[in-house]
Amino acid sequence: KAWPICTTREGSPSFADATEEARMALIDDLQDKKTEIYKGIVSEVAEPRPGVLELMDAAIATPGLAVGICSAATRGGFDKVVDALVGQDRLAKLDVIIAGDDVTAKKPDPMIYDLARERLGISDPRRCVVIEDSMVGLRAAKGANMRCLITYTDSTSEEDFYGFGADAKVPDLGVGVTVEGLFGPIMADESAVLLEGLRDPITVVLNLS
């Protein structure tokens, strides 16, 4: 397949006529520029959703509680986003960090959560609580037999998360989700309802037509 025709600099040969070394140098330059622009956008525009950093800090400070991040994104994009949103200080305190290219099967396959549990040495998956924001993530968490709290968005608020096994759903973690409220009841009683009294109610829609 022919190389696309382009000019790298004024007066320089086109990409198609350039040597292999020059082509690779141009590709590297473009990749570096893309990364620079991407990092700038993330650092200037992206911000964590309400309550995320507060809950993360509280969880990290809780003895006996392991905290991690499991993302479907590959390391290249994942590291830049997480560095900007979470910060290196927090990341250094996490017990496990797994990106999409650390596993051979992506969400909704449960592999990434199974791997996290194995690395943490947790035998019972029901002692794990996954916080997700999508149906794909929910299916991965439930496939790993873990509890799952959904923080939905405006575009996903009408999805049937409870119908697919979500243990609780809230608009965001800023509504009052705390470490004690999230883990306290289920550690005392494995049958306890996740975030009872705080989570969105389960609604049943009846078609009477």
Side-chain angles (χ1 to χ4, degrees):
K1 188 174 182 179
W3 288 92
I5 302 299
C6 67
T7 300
T8 56
R9 298 178 181 84
E10 185 177 355
S12 64
S14 70
F15 196 54
D17 297 330
T19 64
E20 185 66 20
E21 182 179 356
R23 292 172 182 170
M24 297 309 298
L26 176 59
I27 291 173
D28 288 342
D29 287 345
L30 292 173
Q31 182 64 41
D32 290 343
K33 187 62 177 178
K34 186 192 77 170
T35 299
E36 179 184 341
I37 294 172
Y38 181 68
K39 290 174 67 176
I41 292 173
V42 169
S43 61
E44 294 175 9
V45 178
E47 59 182 28
R49 295 184 65 192
V52 170
L53 298 184
E54 292 81 1
L55 183 64
M56 183 177 289
D57 288 340
I60 290 172
T62 302
L65 190 62
V67 185
I69 296 177
C70 297
S71 173
T74 57
R75 283 282 175 185
F78 167 82
D79 287 342
K80 296 173 182 63
V81 172
V82 174
D83 284 354
L85 297 182
V86 178
Q88 283 294 327
D89 289 344
R90 286 189 184 88
L91 291 176
K93 298 174 183 177
L94 297 183
D95 298 282
V96 64
I97 300 176
I98 304 177
D101 39 8
D102 293 326
V103 292
T104 57
K106 304 294 190 293
K107 300 176 185 179
D109 190 281
M111 181 180 290
I112 196 167
Y113 288 126
D114 288 335
L115 178 60
R117 180 177 59 79
E118 291 171 6
R119 288 185 178 180
L120 293 171
I122 300 173
S123 58
D124 182 3
R126 293 291 292 169
R127 295 177 67 85
C128 302
V129 176
V130 175
I131 300 176
E132 273 285 359
D133 63 358
S134 69
M135 190 66 75
V136 169
L138 170 63
R139 289 168 58 194
K142 301 312 291 185
N145 295 314
M146 298 178 179
R147 300 174 193 265
C148 184
L149 165 63
I150 288 290
T151 60
Y152 55 86
T153 63
D154 290 342
S155 62
T156 62
S157 61
E158 299 302 317
E159 293 192 28
D160 187 16
F161 291 112
Y162 283 135
F164 281 83
D167 295 275
K169 70 171 187 175
V170 293
D172 58 61
L173 299 178
V175 298
V177 178
T178 64
V179 170
E180 182 179 356
L182 191 59
F183 289 95
I186 63 175
M187 294 302 290
D189 179 4
E190 291 187 0
S191 64
V193 175
L194 197 67
L195 293 179
E196 187 170 20
L198 182 63
R199 69 178 193 167
D200 284 12
I202 298 175
T203 57
V204 178
V205 178
L206 299 178
N207 186 353
L208 302 179
S209 60

